[in-house]
């Protein structure tokens, strides 16, 4: 057997710099079928209702008409404007291999990170396709006659107990193709950071302060209220100075939700709550590669 020559750090670095478009030596090690079903671009099961709050519709003109470094003119709904800037701006190109183009980078344009908003009387999912914060359906524990987001009973009561509004970011592993295997987890965790940074920039631009919380229990309850899914542990940002507007009927028909069992994954297994993570977000609930 012929011994392989030693490779110096300088040679390895030079090799990495030679990679570029059309070169695959450091790219995907196996083919990814982009036609394979995933849950990408689908809302969670409980986020397909007909009420909520639309995102601001004049945001593009506001952003395009502001020359750097001039300050942005604060709109009537600064919270909605910040959320739309961070997560709602997108251009759809149906005939492209990766049709969704948004303000945040994402592997294969699958955008596995989802944003939810919770607070007193509020449980909403940011749907970039409906351009709205959509009310989550009333949870089974909310009692008879409960409205979407009603904090009088059930999980919403816990989330609203401290009177805070929260932005919750979580990645859904099944939004990436199953062929990614265990790389699903690494890619999703990296994109959580990208989206958190996007929120930090948008929140600062529109004067919506936020603080990252160490206690994610309220965020996990909000994520569980969105319905079944293969979710990462959530990031929770407390928004102390702003309250969401009351919900109202949304235009257009509701969208079809993601299936309870993600394509390419086994059925979810209940996981006991440990170390600050709920069954909905615990690492053990990740899909098998």
């Amino acid at each position: 057997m012929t011994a392989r020559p030693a490779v110096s750090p300088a040679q390895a670095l030079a090799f990495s710099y030679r990679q570029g478009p059309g070169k695959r030596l450091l790219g995907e090690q196996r083919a990814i079928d982009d036609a394979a079903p995933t849950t990408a671009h689908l809302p969670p099961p409980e986020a397909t209702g007909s009420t909520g709050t639309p995102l601001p519709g004049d945001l593009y003109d506001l952003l395009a008409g502001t020359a750097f470094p001039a300050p942005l003119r604060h709109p009537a709904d600064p919270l909605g404007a910040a959320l739309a800037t961070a997560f709602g701006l997108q251009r759809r190109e149906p005939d492209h291999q990766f049709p969704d183009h948004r303000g945040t980078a994402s592997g294969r344009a699958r955008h596995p990170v989802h944003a939810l908003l919770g607070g007193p009387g509020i449980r909403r999912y940011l749907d970039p396709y409906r351009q709205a914060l959509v009310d989550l359906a009333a949870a089974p524990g909310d009692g008879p006659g409960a409205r979407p987001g009603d904090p009088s009973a059930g999980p919403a009561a816990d989330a609203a107990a401290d009177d805070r509004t929260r932005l919750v970011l979580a990645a859904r592993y099944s939004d990436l193709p199953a062929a990614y295997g265990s790389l699903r987890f690494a890619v999703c965790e990296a994109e959580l950071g990208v989206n958190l940074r996007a929120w930090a920039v948008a929140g600062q631009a529109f004067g919506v302060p936020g603080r990252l919380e160490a206690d994610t229990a309220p965020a996990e309850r909000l994520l569980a209220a969105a319905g079944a899914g293969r979710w990462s542990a959530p990031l929770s940002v407390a928004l102390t100075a702003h309250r969401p507007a009351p919900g109202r009927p949304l235009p257009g028909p509701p969208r079809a939700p993601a299936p309870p069992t993600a394509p390419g994954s086994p059925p979810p297994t209940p996981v006991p709550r440990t170390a600050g993570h709920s069954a909905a977000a615990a690492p053990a609930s990740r899909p098998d590669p």
Side-chain angles (χ1 to χ4, degrees), residues 53-58 77 80-81 83-84 87-88 126-128 130-133:
T53 54
L55 295 174
D58 58 350
D77 179 13
L83 289 169
F87 314 115
L126 194 155
D127 192 328
R130 299 178 71 181
Q131 285 292 291
L133 290 162

Side-chain angles (χ1 to χ4, degrees), residues 56-82 85 201-208 242:
D58 58 350
L59 191 59
Y60 175 83
D61 293 333
L62 173 62
L63 295 172
T66 304
F68 181 84
L72 282 168
R73 173 179 55 83
H74 282 197
D77 179 13
L79 176 57
T85 298
V201 172
Q204 182 180 31
F206 288 101
V208 183
H242 293 270

Side-chain angles (χ1 to χ4, degrees), residues 41-52 116 123-127 130 132-138 148 172 225-227 250-259:
H41 314 142
L42 297 175
E46 303 302 327
T48 60
S50 58
T51 62
L116 299 98
R123 291 183 303 187
R124 290 177 181 153
Y125 169 75
L126 194 155
D127 192 328
R130 299 178 71 181
L133 290 162
V134 181
D135 285 326
L136 300 183
R172 189 168 56 186
L250 295 172
R255 294 206 297 134

Side-chain angles (χ1 to χ4, degrees), residues 38-237:
T38 69
T39 56
H41 314 142
L42 297 175
E46 303 302 327
T48 60
S50 58
T51 62
T53 54
L55 295 174
D58 58 350
L59 191 59
Y60 175 83
D61 293 333
L62 173 62
L63 295 172
T66 304
F68 181 84
L72 282 168
R73 173 179 55 83
H74 282 197
D77 179 13
L79 176 57
L83 289 169
T85 298
F87 314 115
L89 294 175
Q90 76 167 0
R91 177 172 62 88
R92 182 79 172 166
E93 193 174 357
D95 58 348
H96 197 281
Q97 180 183 4
F98 308 120
D100 283 4
H101 309 289
R102 300 188 190 175
T104 53
S106 178
R108 314 195 80 78
R110 295 305 175 98
H111 300 284
V113 177
H114 300 253
L116 299 98
L117 196 67
I122 296 296
R123 291 183 303 187
R124 290 177 181 153
Y125 169 75
L126 194 155
D127 192 328
Y129 297 95
R130 299 178 71 181
Q131 285 292 291
L133 290 162
V134 181
D135 285 326
L136 300 183
D142 285 348
R147 304 183 309 277
D150 186 348
S152 60
D158 301 291
D162 57 5
D163 197 40
R164 290 182 183 174
T165 300
R166 286 182 174 85
L167 168 66
V168 174
L169 300 177
R172 189 168 56 186
Y173 299 124
S174 56
D175 287 357
L176 295 179
Y180 266 57
S182 58
L183 282 178
R184 273 175 160 179
F185 313 139
V187 172
C188 284
E189 302 297 340
E191 292 197 21
L192 269 173
V194 171
N195 280 261
L196 183 63
R197 174 61 178 168
W199 166 254
V201 172
Q204 182 180 31
F206 288 101
V208 183
R211 179 176 55 83
L212 193 63
E213 296 183 304
D215 180 12
T216 61
E220 290 166 10
R221 288 192 289 268
L222 177 62
L223 189 58
R230 298 287 184 168
W231 297 98
S232 71
L235 297 176
S236 179
V237 180

